[in-house]
Amino acid sequence: MPDHSPTARELQLDLLATPKAVPELRHHLRAHDFEVRLCATELLTNVIDHLGEGTPVTVRVTGTPHGHTRVEVTDPDPRALPVLLSAAGMAESGRGLALIEALAHRWAVTPEADRKTVWCELTGPLMV
């Protein structure tokens, strides 16, 4: 059986999606590029906003075979799929996925029977 545990260059965190978890996640990612921190915290914030505080999530930052950095957030609700919206001028929300879209090489959702993973890939290599 292959070992899927993260290497020293990768990060995997199991946490509860709460407002307090956002700065804690940024702290864990402090050695990573700004874009990685921003994408990870935006994906976590989407879980808080759309599934509710206290939702268990797994955050992963890994390298890809193509030399990109992949940021993933897995949550337990395969039905609540994110939608890229166009936020109104003064709206205080609705820009998270627009930021992901602007920063990432690509992003998508991988649904499974009992969970989903929202992920994005940034063109830079995994930096820690």
Side-chain angles (χ1 to χ4, degrees), residues 30-116:
R30 67 190 175 278
H32 290 268
D33 291 342
F34 172 76
E35 290 85 1
V36 170
R37 294 190 308 270
L38 180 61
C39 288
T41 56
E42 285 298 329
L43 292 176
L44 177 60
T45 300
N46 277 350
V47 173
I48 297 166
D49 290 346
H50 299 288
L51 297 182
E53 287 187 33
T55 301
V57 297
T58 301
V59 178
R60 283 178 296 284
V61 177
T62 60
T64 72
H66 305 292
H68 297 162
T69 299
R70 184 172 172 121
V71 177
E72 302 177 348
V73 174
T74 301
D75 69 62
D77 190 343
R79 297 164 294 142
L81 299 177
V83 177
L84 179 61
L85 301 174
S86 180
M90 297 304 285
E92 293 184 15
S93 63
R95 291 186 176 83
L97 284 179
L99 284 170
I100 301 289
E101 175 83 8
L103 291 173
H105 171 67
R106 62 188 187 139
W107 72 274
V109 181
T110 305
E112 296 182 44
D114 62 345
R115 65 183 167 267
K116 73 171 170 301

